[in-house]
Amino acid sequence: MSNICRASIIVAAVIEQGGRFLMVEERMEGRLCINQPAGHLEPGESFEQGVIREAREESGYDFYPSALVGAYLMSYQLENGKLSNYLRFAFTGTLGAQHAGPLDPDIEGTVWMTHKEILANRHRHRSELVLPCIEDYLAGVRVPLSFVSLRTIKQGVR
């Protein structure tokens, strides 16, 4: 029996305006963490559809991805001793309208933070992948969206 679980695919929005990044504050195991608007890619969803949906659900803003900032792989050990892989695709783009209404249940709200503030709050990051996404963005990493285009292929039951 393998010690490895299947990978979870995460999409994240790296949104910067005027030197500040849009972050979400969320409850995780009783503590208040900060993260980019991010979440699991749903079955049949393209990367673009997923990051647009997650940004809206977690921040209340429309988001229009324009480039991939990076792809990041991280492994976590679960309570049962198995390893779980998380593959995070971080996108940047433009921010659209903000909508009233409830955010995802774990989200307490949004906050705009400078890179310096994000560094100072490293102990509150939801994962170790929060900072590399910001730093790659600041380094100017941009990969065309066509690099991660997803063609949905319908397949029979396996």
Side-chain angles (χ1 to χ4, degrees):
M1 183 150 96
S2 174
N3 192 27
I4 304 285
C5 293
R6 294 185 185 262
S8 292
I9 300 173
I10 308 298
V11 289
V14 179
I15 303 166
E16 182 265 338
Q17 286 188 341
R20 294 187 178 275
F21 292 89
L22 178 62
M23 306 298 284
V24 296
E25 292 184 308
E26 59 185 314
R27 289 272 167 208
M28 186 176 133
E29 298 173 359
R31 72 185 252 267
L32 192 60
C33 300
I34 57 172
N35 196 10
Q36 287 97 4
H40 293 269
L41 188 66
E42 298 291 334
E45 200 171 45
S46 72
F47 290 105
E48 289 175 67
Q49 291 167 336
V51 74
I52 289 167
R53 177 186 51 76
E54 285 294 343
R56 176 79 181 264
E57 289 175 358
E58 293 202 349
S59 73
Y61 283 96
D62 289 330
F63 174 67
Y64 306 100
S66 60
L68 175 71
V69 174
Y72 310 85
L73 179 63
M74 182 162 212
S75 294
Y76 291 93
Q77 187 162 5
L78 303 174
E79 289 179 8
N80 63 9
K82 290 189 175 187
L83 292 177
S84 183
N85 288 322
Y86 288 83
L87 183 57
R88 176 186 260 224
F89 290 85
F91 296 87
T92 190
T94 53
L95 197 61
Q98 185 176 22
H99 302 274
L103 302 177
D104 274 358
D106 294 338
I107 303 297
E108 298 277 328
T110 59
V111 61
W112 289 90
M113 301 175 80
T114 65
H115 178 242
K116 188 175 181 178
E117 291 168 331
I118 293 167
L119 281 171
N121 283 277
R122 197 175 200 161
H123 63 284
R124 293 182 52 213
H125 292 184
R126 168 139 190 208
S127 89
E128 293 178 32
L129 297 178
V130 170
L131 191 56
C133 296
I134 299 287
E135 291 181 339
D136 286 347
Y137 171 86
L138 290 171
V141 177
R142 306 290 187 275
V143 179
L145 288 178
S146 61
F147 179 78
V148 290
S149 66
L150 175 69
R151 292 189 180 124
T152 303
I153 299 169
K154 302 214 185 253
Q155 197 170 340
V157 177
R158 291 183 108 185

